[in-house]
Amino acid sequence: MSFLWGVMGGPSAGPQPSGAETIQKLCDRVASSTLLDDRRDAVRALKSLSKKYRLEVGTQAMEHLIHVLQTDRSDSEIIGYALDTLYNVISNDLEEEEQEENLTKVDDLGSQFTEIFIKQHENVTLLLTLVEEFDFHVRWPGVKLLTSLLKQQGPQVQQIILVSPMGVSRLMDLLADSREVIRNDGVLLLQQLTKSNAAIQKIVAFENAFERLLDIITEEGNSDGGIVVEDCLLLLQNLLKNNNSNQNFFKEGSYIQRMKPWFEVGDDNCGWSAQKVTNLHLMLQLVRVLVSPTNPPGATSSCQKAMFHCGLLQQLCTILMATGVPADILTETINTVSEVIRGCQMNQDYFASVNAPSNPPRPAIVVLLMSMVNERQPFVLRCAVLYCFQCFLYKNQKGQGEIVSTLLPSTIDATGNSVSAGQLLCGGLFSTDSLSNWCAAVALAHALQENATLKEQLLRVQLATSIGNPPVSLLQQCTNILSQGDKIDRRGSKVQTRVGLLMLLCTWLSNCSIAVTHFLHNPANIPFLTGQIAENLGEEEQLVQGLCALLLGISIYYNDNSLENYRKEKLKQLIEKRIGRENFIEKLGFISKHELYSRAAQKPQPGFSSPEHMMFDHEFTKLVKELEGVISKAIYKSSEEDKKEEEVKKTLEQHDNIVTQYKKVIREQDQELEELKQRITTLMSQNEQLQATVTQQVSQIQQHKDQYNLLKVQLGKDTQHHNSHGDTFQMNGIQTEEVSKLKEELEEWKNKHELLQGQIREKDFLIEKLKSSQLEIGTTELSSQSSRSGGLEHNNELQKELEMLRSQLQLQSAEISQLLIENQKLQVMNTTSDPVLGDSGAIVAKSSELEGQLEQQIKELKSEVKALSEEKESLKQHLDSSSSTVAILQDEKIKLQQEVAESKKEQDDLLVLLADQDQKLSALKIKLKDLGVPGLMKNHAPTRNNRLMHW
């Protein structure tokens, strides 16, 4: 323990051991000691020496420390010491003095130790398991060590974590730790983990990172929060920048709506802290990441719409027009608003309606343009305003028209109370500040971009140069300034002004033959251009020569040969004589070879380090790329080839005209088809309405039938009641003929009813007669049978009548079914008779005829149905009455049969009694004979004979 005592500061005798020797002894102690306390003390000592003797500890103790992490995981204290020691060895976070002295050496040392540590992938996996421990003394140093490894060897460590099972998910749990130190260092760890690795970025995003980070930002106070908010914003930028999948997930998760509170700045904007400025700057950059022009157009458009609907754009415009906002925040806000509105018509329209809080209120565009043409404003701010104006006009023909209309004579404010955007652009175009000239020229060129109509309208603009002189056109004034550029005293680069004017003229004349004709109409323009191209100037002037060559080439390519002196062929001959074709093409190639041209072609936003580098516009580079090859071919073409090309153009124009005519015819046919479809739908709806009315009328007919049946029954009961109902019928609109018919039918039914009542009386009389015959005891069996056969014959007659009534009823039902079939046929004819095409008047006439036919047929059907229903009801009543009489007769027949059977039975009983009496009498006579009484026998003999004769 003597060497430990010396290390820990105790007194020692003899020479002091060196640092390397002490570290070697401590490493031996860690490797060989069996007691945990001894190993812990040795690791603690190594930790205290790791900063001063970093190289020695790293080379000698790293293997032992990793072994401690593997074997002594049960003791959190020794694990914490080991992780801290490894962190001190690998990390480059040294003191400021040491860092200034040995910066390069330190970087190499940390990278080498990191490479040694991650050579065995199991070490990183072991570190991931230790980070899962909840113990603060283990988790926190583990997070710091893993962060340091990612800083030193990021791609290698990222790949190891990516292939490790649940590696990224384990680290995501750090954001949910209740201890702020671990949570904040976890954010730093995820920053390093997600750098330039799309796969890990996607995993982290789908592990609910957006929700947790936005919650942390809200808890910390949004833009008023501390450095934790800054770290969270940097992590969000790592997850979203150039990652379309995460951007879409961020938008679909409605996280854009949660960004709006970040930009709620109060009225008192004084005293912005440095941290707040940094946070708000990062927040604005995060918005720009979602709507960057480099993103896919569909994703950018959806994010722009979401920002408008949630009120984020409105909030940004509020900051834009607020007072007291720091200059760098204002500049970044302008850039952010620019990209939020770029190419989105809805957002551009809203931005055009925003007014600055001034008296009187002015449009925000006018206020921004005033800043752009004001040379006292910072250069970065002026560039941001130019970018905002470009984004406002990008694919916005409506906005372009509004800007150009402020220059036209009919819309200029005669009172002069308000300044328009066009007046500001003209003022900047002709000012003595070269940067204002360039910005105004580029802004005006964007107002004409891909809009031939506005290029023609801008030719009408007239400018009053001085009192007493006639006004000149804007095109002529631009060429005048271009030709007198060296004579005018300007602040800044003279080349910059000329480059801006040439870019404006090239954009204006391209794809507009009328503007080319106006340009060529001035006899001084072509000599000026040829003179500029033919001269041998310095490097700065070469750019102007290239743009002059481009303008001359546009004047040739888009020339319609309307001016005899400046036809295509003559201009080509002029180039060949004064300049030379090869020299012309060489001067034209100066543009695309320029370094500033390459910078401007990279991205739409003007990114210039100084005003002198502000030469090219991004959209103009596209125009140069498009026209350079075309103009080169046009210069070398002969007159015959030009003629052929013109013929081809004419044929193409003819074909285009034919195509446009066909398109027009197709549009007209489409409109006619749409009208016919609408007519068909209206006719179908009318047909449905008619069918509904038919069904309604059928139901009404049924109701009338029921009512008529009820009335008919009431009429059958009482004639006076019938007369009163007849009067009411006549009052309700029923004709007198129908009433008379009904009365006749009623009389017929009454007669039939009286006949039936007479038959019933006859039957009643017969029944009474049968009953009276039953009372006579002495009636013979023959008479009873004859009466029974008479009743049966009458019953057969009634049955025959019943069969006749049934056959009549079947005939009536068959007629009813035929009428129903005819009604259905008429309905089918009605449905199939709907016209599909034709004149609207014929359709209306046919529909009215059909309605009339239907109404007539419905009336006929009503009358037929009424007659049939009346006959049916009468037959039913007749059948019911006859069936009731048959049933009564059958009951009487059954009763008579029962009575006849009873009388037979009584007669049989009497015969049996008489036979018994005869037997008794014969037995008594025998006894009398035996007794010898003859007189008695004589007296009784005739009585017996009489009885026998009687029976």
Side-chain angles (χ1 to χ4, degrees):
M1 293 294 290
S2 60
F3 71 92
L4 279 177
W5 185 257
V7 170
M8 300 306 293
S12 61
Q16 294 291 328
S18 64
E21 292 176 353
T22 304
I23 291 167
Q24 182 61 43
K25 291 179 181 178
L26 290 172
C27 291
D28 293 340
R29 188 67 175 173
V30 171
S32 61
S33 179
T34 56
L35 294 176
L36 181 61
D37 293 338
D38 292 344
R39 292 199 302 276
R40 188 188 303 119
D41 293 337
V43 173
R44 186 189 297 115
L46 286 172
K47 175 189 171 184
S48 62
L49 296 172
S50 59
K51 289 186 178 180
K52 187 176 182 180
Y53 299 100
R54 182 181 177 191
L55 178 61
E56 290 80 3
V57 173
T59 53
Q60 298 182 32
M62 182 175 289
E63 185 178 352
H64 301 294
L65 293 172
I66 292 171
H67 183 70
V68 168
L69 295 177
Q70 293 172 347
T71 57
D72 293 332
R73 291 185 58 184
S74 59
D75 186 64
S76 61
E77 191 174 356
I78 192 172
I79 295 294
Y81 292 148
L83 292 172
D84 284 333
T85 306
L86 289 171
Y87 172 73
N88 292 336
V89 169
I90 291 172
S91 175
N92 292 329
D93 299 335
L94 301 177
E95 299 294 332
E96 292 182 0
E97 297 178 357
E98 297 178 2
Q99 193 170 0
E100 291 175 0
E101 294 174 0
N102 302 321
L103 185 60
T104 307
K105 184 179 178 181
V106 163
D107 289 341
D108 293 339
L109 197 60
S111 179
Q112 290 173 5
F113 283 137
T114 302
E115 190 173 353
I116 294 170
F117 184 84
I118 67 173
K119 192 173 183 180
Q120 299 293 329
H121 294 180
E122 293 81 6
N123 296 339
V124 180
T125 307
L126 175 63
L127 190 56
L128 290 173
T129 58
L130 292 173
V131 169
E132 284 187 293
E133 296 289 336
F134 186 75
D135 194 329
F136 180 81
H137 297 92
V138 176
R139 196 170 205 182
W140 188 39
V143 171
K144 292 193 297 180
L145 176 58
L146 192 54
T147 306
S148 183
L149 292 173
L150 286 164
K151 286 181 180 178
Q152 301 295 335
Q153 298 288 339
Q156 293 85 344
V157 179
Q158 285 174 344
Q159 194 61 31
I160 297 170
I161 294 174
L162 190 60
V163 299
S164 176
M166 300 293 291
V168 179
S169 300
R170 296 176 187 175
L171 301 178
M172 285 300 300
D173 294 336
L174 297 172
L175 297 180
D177 200 305
S178 58
R179 295 160 293 192
E180 291 188 3
V181 177
I182 295 177
R183 185 199 66 185
N184 299 341
D185 283 346
V187 173
L188 297 175
L189 170 61
L190 291 172
Q191 277 184 26
Q192 300 298 326
L193 181 65
T194 54
K195 276 185 179 179
S196 305
N197 194 310
I200 293 179
Q201 289 169 2
K202 290 179 182 178
I203 296 171
V204 172
F206 282 96
E207 288 285 342
N208 207 19
F210 294 138
E211 185 76 26
R212 296 181 184 180
L213 291 172
L214 292 173
D215 289 341
I216 294 171
I217 292 171
T218 305
E219 291 171 5
E220 295 293 327
N222 294 327
S223 60
D224 294 324
I227 196 170
V228 179
V229 174
E230 179 183 350
D231 294 336
C232 291
L233 292 170
L234 290 172
L235 177 55
L236 285 171
Q237 282 192 18
N238 285 351
L239 295 175
L240 293 173
K241 196 169 185 178
N242 300 324
N243 195 317
N244 300 328
S245 174
N246 283 1
Q247 289 174 7
N248 188 40
F249 181 69
F250 190 85
K251 179 185 71 68
E252 295 295 335
S254 300
Y255 296 119
I256 292 177
Q257 287 81 340
R258 297 188 60 179
M259 298 170 71
K260 183 187 174 184
W262 296 354
F263 306 103
E264 292 177 355
V265 181
D267 297 332
D268 186 13
N269 293 323
C270 300
W272 286 50
S273 64
Q275 188 61 54
K276 182 175 181 178
V277 172
T278 303
N279 291 343
L280 203 55
H281 199 273
L282 289 171
M283 290 171 178
L284 292 168
Q285 286 182 352
L286 191 62
V287 175
R288 294 184 64 187
V289 166
L290 294 171
V291 293
S292 174
T294 58
N295 293 342
T300 301
S301 177
S302 59
C303 289
Q304 287 172 335
K305 291 176 182 176
M307 289 177 184
F308 175 78
H309 290 302
C310 74
L312 181 58
L313 175 59
Q314 293 84 333
Q315 201 67 42
L316 292 173
C317 290
T318 304
I319 298 176
L320 194 67
M321 295 292 107
T323 56
V325 179
D328 52 348
I329 294 297
L330 182 61
T331 303
E332 191 63 25
T333 304
I334 294 171
N335 289 327
T336 305
V337 171
S338 306
E339 294 184 353
V340 172
I341 67 173
R342 187 176 187 270
C344 182
Q345 187 67 49
M346 178 173 58
N347 293 0
Q348 289 167 342
D349 292 341
Y350 171 76
F351 185 70
S353 66
V354 175
N355 290 322
S358 60
N359 192 14
R362 289 177 177 173
I365 297 172
V366 173
V367 175
L368 291 175
L369 288 177
M370 291 172 68
S371 301
M372 185 186 74
V373 298
N374 186 358
E375 54 185 309
R376 296 179 181 177
Q377 294 293 337
F379 170 68
V380 181
L381 180 63
R382 298 174 75 180
C383 290
V385 173
L386 176 62
Y387 183 49
C388 184
F389 191 72
Q390 292 174 352
C391 292
F392 170 68
L393 297 178
Y394 182 71
K395 293 183 179 179
N396 183 11
Q397 292 188 355
K398 180 182 176 183
Q400 289 176 328
E402 290 174 354
I403 297 298
V404 173
S405 66
T406 58
L407 287 167
L408 298 178
S410 59
T411 56
I412 294 175
D413 187 7
T415 60
N417 293 329
S418 62
V419 181
S420 65
Q423 292 172 350
L424 288 170
L425 290 177
C426 285
L429 193 63
F430 307 129
S431 72
T432 57
D433 179 32
S434 61
L435 186 59
S436 297
N437 300 151
W438 191 91
C439 291
V442 171
L444 196 56
H446 275 265
L448 304 175
Q449 199 80 34
E450 297 179 358
N451 199 324
T453 305
L454 295 181
K455 291 177 183 178
E456 295 176 6
Q457 289 184 2
L458 199 63
L459 296 171
R460 298 164 46 202
V461 177
Q462 300 290 322
L463 301 175
T465 55
S466 60
I467 300 173
N469 293 328
V472 296
S473 66
L474 178 62
L475 182 65
Q476 183 63 42
Q477 185 67 15
C478 289
T479 55
N480 292 340
I481 295 172
L482 187 62
S483 60
Q484 299 172 3
D486 295 333
K487 301 177 183 178
I488 300 174
D489 186 19
R490 298 181 185 279
R491 289 181 296 275
S493 173
K494 294 180 180 179
V495 175
Q496 191 176 42
T497 300
R498 298 169 70 187
V499 168
L501 289 171
L502 285 168
M503 285 195 298
L504 172 60
L505 290 173
C506 290
T507 305
W508 194 347
L509 268 61
S510 64
N511 202 16
C512 185
S513 300
I514 299 175
V516 171
T517 304
H518 278 71
F519 179 77
L520 295 175
H521 195 71
N522 187 354
N525 289 337
I526 295 300
F528 169 75
L529 292 178
T530 54
Q532 288 287 321
I533 299 168
E535 289 182 6
N536 291 322
L537 303 173
E539 289 187 9
E540 291 185 356
E541 296 292 334
Q542 284 182 353
L543 190 57
V544 176
Q545 286 183 326
L547 291 171
C548 288
L550 179 65
L551 183 58
L552 184 57
I554 290 171
S555 300
I556 295 171
Y557 185 73
Y558 292 104
N559 192 348
D560 58 357
N561 295 326
S562 59
L563 296 176
E564 185 64 28
N565 294 331
Y566 295 104
R567 296 174 65 86
K568 285 185 179 181
E569 192 61 31
K570 290 186 177 181
L571 290 175
K572 289 180 186 178
Q573 292 174 2
L574 183 63
I575 289 172
E576 191 171 358
K577 290 178 182 179
R578 295 283 305 273
I579 304 169
R581 291 181 181 178
E582 290 78 8
N583 191 19
F584 180 84
I585 299 300
E586 183 182 357
K587 297 292 177 68
L588 184 62
F590 284 163
I591 302 173
S592 57
K593 293 177 182 177
H594 204 280
E595 181 184 358
L596 297 177
Y597 174 89
S598 302
R599 290 183 187 177
Q602 291 176 0
K603 57 181 181 178
Q605 182 182 1
F608 306 107
S609 57
S610 64
E612 292 77 16
H613 294 158
M614 208 167 185
M615 288 292 176
F616 287 106
D617 174 55
H618 178 75
E619 293 296 327
F620 182 74
T621 59
K622 294 181 181 179
L623 182 65
V624 172
K625 191 175 181 181
E626 178 185 348
L627 294 178
E628 187 176 4
V630 174
I631 292 172
S632 300
K633 290 179 183 178
I635 295 298
Y636 282 103
K637 282 181 181 177
S638 61
S639 59
E640 295 178 356
E641 291 177 349
D642 286 337
K643 289 179 181 178
K644 289 180 181 178
E645 188 176 353
E646 287 178 0
E647 290 177 359
V648 171
K649 283 184 178 179
K650 288 179 181 179
T651 54
L652 288 174
E653 287 177 358
Q654 290 176 358
H655 286 301
D656 290 339
N657 292 329
I658 293 169
V659 170
T660 53
Q661 288 177 1
Y662 278 119
K663 286 181 178 178
K664 187 178 180 181
V665 171
I666 290 168
R667 289 193 195 98
E668 291 175 356
Q669 290 178 352
D670 287 337
Q671 290 178 358
E672 289 178 359
L673 284 173
E674 289 297 328
E675 290 176 358
L676 290 172
K677 286 180 180 177
Q678 290 177 0
R679 289 179 183 176
I680 289 168
T681 53
T682 53
L683 289 171
M684 289 176 67
S685 62
Q686 289 176 1
N687 186 20
E688 290 176 356
Q689 290 177 0
L690 289 171
Q691 288 180 353
T693 54
V694 167
T695 54
Q696 188 177 2
Q697 287 175 357
V698 169
S699 62
Q700 288 177 358
I701 289 168
Q702 187 64 34
Q703 290 177 0
H704 289 313
K705 282 166 61 178
D706 297 336
Q707 291 176 2
Y708 178 72
N709 292 330
L710 290 172
L711 292 170
K712 190 173 171 184
V713 171
Q714 292 177 0
L715 287 169
K717 290 182 180 178
D718 192 0
T719 306
Q720 294 178 356
H721 194 56
H722 159 70
N723 291 330
S724 65
H725 272 281
D727 296 336
T728 57
F729 285 158
Q730 193 168 3
M731 288 172 67
N732 289 329
I734 298 174
Q735 296 179 359
T736 56
E737 294 179 358
E738 293 179 356
V739 174
S740 62
K741 288 180 181 179
L742 291 173
K743 288 181 178 180
E744 291 175 359
E745 289 178 359
L746 186 61
E747 292 296 329
E748 290 178 0
W749 285 113
K750 282 184 177 180
N751 295 328
K752 290 180 181 180
H753 184 65
E754 290 176 356
L755 290 172
L756 289 172
Q757 283 183 351
Q759 291 177 1
I760 290 169
R761 289 193 198 95
E762 291 177 358
K763 291 172 186 176
D764 291 336
F765 177 73
L766 183 60
I767 289 166
E768 290 294 332
K769 189 176 180 180
L770 289 170
K771 287 182 180 180
S772 62
S773 64
Q774 184 183 359
L775 295 172
E776 294 178 357
I777 299 172
T779 307
T780 59
E781 184 178 358
L782 184 62
S783 63
S784 65
Q785 289 177 355
S786 64
S787 64
R788 184 175 58 188
S789 62
L792 289 171
E793 289 175 359
H794 191 68
N795 190 12
N796 290 329
E797 291 177 0
L798 290 173
Q799 285 182 354
K800 287 179 182 180
E801 273 186 34
L802 181 62
E803 291 296 329
M804 289 173 66
L805 291 172
R806 284 178 180 173
S807 62
Q808 290 178 1
L809 183 61
Q810 288 177 356
L811 290 172
Q812 296 292 336
S813 63
E815 290 178 1
I816 290 167
S817 62
Q818 287 180 359
L819 290 171
L820 290 172
I821 291 167
E822 289 178 1
N823 189 13
Q824 291 177 356
K825 287 180 180 179
L826 289 171
Q827 288 180 358
V828 171
M829 289 172 64
N830 182 22
T831 56
T832 55
S833 63
D834 292 334
V836 178
L837 297 170
D839 194 19
S840 60
I843 292 168
V844 172
K846 287 183 181 179
S847 62
S848 60
E849 287 178 5
L850 286 172
E851 288 178 0
Q853 291 177 3
L854 282 172
E855 288 178 358
Q856 187 175 359
Q857 290 173 0
I858 287 166
K859 289 178 180 178
E860 292 176 358
L861 289 172
K862 281 182 180 179
S863 60
E864 291 178 0
V865 168
K866 284 182 180 179
L868 291 171
S869 61
E870 291 169 2
E871 292 179 2
K872 185 178 176 181
E873 289 297 326
S874 63
L875 291 171
K876 279 184 179 179
Q877 289 179 359
H878 191 198
L879 182 61
D880 292 337
S881 61
S882 60
S883 60
S884 62
T885 54
V886 168
I888 292 167
L889 291 173
Q890 284 180 353
D891 292 337
E892 291 176 353
K893 177 184 173 184
I894 291 166
K895 288 180 180 179
L896 290 171
Q897 287 177 355
Q898 289 177 356
E899 289 176 357
V900 170
E902 289 177 356
S903 61
K904 278 184 179 182
K905 188 176 180 181
E906 289 178 355
Q907 288 177 1
D908 293 335
D909 292 337
L910 289 172
L911 288 171
V912 171
L913 290 172
L914 289 173
D916 291 338
Q917 287 180 359
D918 287 337
Q919 288 178 0
K920 288 180 180 179
L921 286 172
S922 59
L924 290 172
K925 284 179 181 180
I926 293 168
K927 286 181 179 181
L928 288 173
K929 278 183 182 181
D930 293 336
L931 292 173
V933 185
L936 187 60
M937 289 291 291
K938 291 179 181 178
N939 292 330
H940 284 281
T943 308
R944 180 174 176 270
N945 292 331
N946 290 332
R947 286 180 182 174
L948 288 173
M949 287 178 68
H950 175 75
W951 287 106

